[in-house]
Amino acid sequence: MATIEKQVMVVGVDDSEDSLYALQWTLEHFFTPFSSNCPYKLIIVHAKPPATTAIGVAGPGVADVLPLVEEDLRKIAARIVGKAKEICINKSVKDATVEVVDGDARNALCDAVQKHQATILVVGSHGYGALKRTVLGSTSDYCVHNACCTVMIVKKPKIKL
């Protein structure tokens, strides 16, 4: 009997509640209901920015600070990956692959889609307005226009009091 290869789903995570909510939502809707017979292989991707972009300036003393910033970025990435793994364990998803890649999130996610031949990319929505999105850029918008697969943007519901 031939084995059917599972489709690949890539989920992008960062240090925002929105991306972790997107991961949780994805697990609840695509993985947990299927238990051990899930039709997807899950790849969780975190893009660690280069230390030079985190500093943002150049000049005397930057070379001394760069290793410290790099170490902080590694610790942040480890914390984010730890949270993602914890969410997977809590949702009984045991076979997720987690990757930390260096670079800008937009390019890293599109590259991961191509590398793994993903059929779906899931990203969270920060909910920026038009002005903030224009100034800061939007990872989800970039991925919608550049990823070579379906892109699902998961927006965390606003809590109304």
Side-chain angles (χ1 to χ4, degrees):
M1 186 164 108
T3 348
I4 298 172
E5 188 143 339
K6 292 183 176 188
Q7 295 182 48
V8 176
M9 182 180 292
V10 171
V11 179
V13 294
D14 61 16
D15 60 349
S16 71
E17 284 184 32
D18 300 300
S19 75
L20 296 176
Y21 174 81
L23 173 61
Q24 186 173 341
W25 186 93
T26 301
L27 296 177
E28 289 171 359
H29 288 83
F30 290 92
F31 290 86
T32 305
F34 297 101
S35 192
S36 62
N37 197 20
C38 180
Y40 294 99
K41 176 181 177 185
L42 178 62
I43 310 286
I44 300 169
V45 177
H46 170 66
K48 182 176 71 65
T52 52
T53 59
I55 293 174
V57 294
V62 170
D64 298 332
V65 175
L66 215 52
L68 299 172
V69 172
E70 183 61 40
E71 181 59 30
D72 281 347
L73 290 171
R74 270 195 292 278
K75 288 178 183 176
I76 292 167
R79 189 183 76 240
I80 293 166
V81 165
K83 285 181 184 178
K85 288 179 180 178
E86 184 180 322
I87 291 169
C88 289
I89 289 167
N90 290 339
K91 297 294 179 186
S92 301
V93 176
K94 296 173 182 70
D95 58 350
T97 302
V98 181
E99 295 181 356
V100 176
V101 294
D102 290 320
D104 178 70
R106 295 172 287 200
N107 295 323
L109 291 172
C110 290
D111 291 347
V113 162
Q114 211 162 13
K115 173 184 168 186
H116 297 289
Q117 299 177 340
T119 53
I120 299 175
L121 170 62
V122 180
V123 292
S125 171
H126 288 285
Y128 293 149
L131 180 61
K132 220 176 203 184
R133 193 172 46 249
T134 301
V135 173
L136 297 176
S138 168
T139 299
S140 57
D141 185 60
Y142 181 89
C143 291
V144 163
H145 290 95
N146 294 283
C148 56
C149 69
T150 299
V151 178
M152 181 169 54
I153 302 169
V154 178
K155 186 171 182 175
K156 186 176 180 180
K158 292 182 180 178
I159 300 171
K160 297 190 180 197
L161 301 173

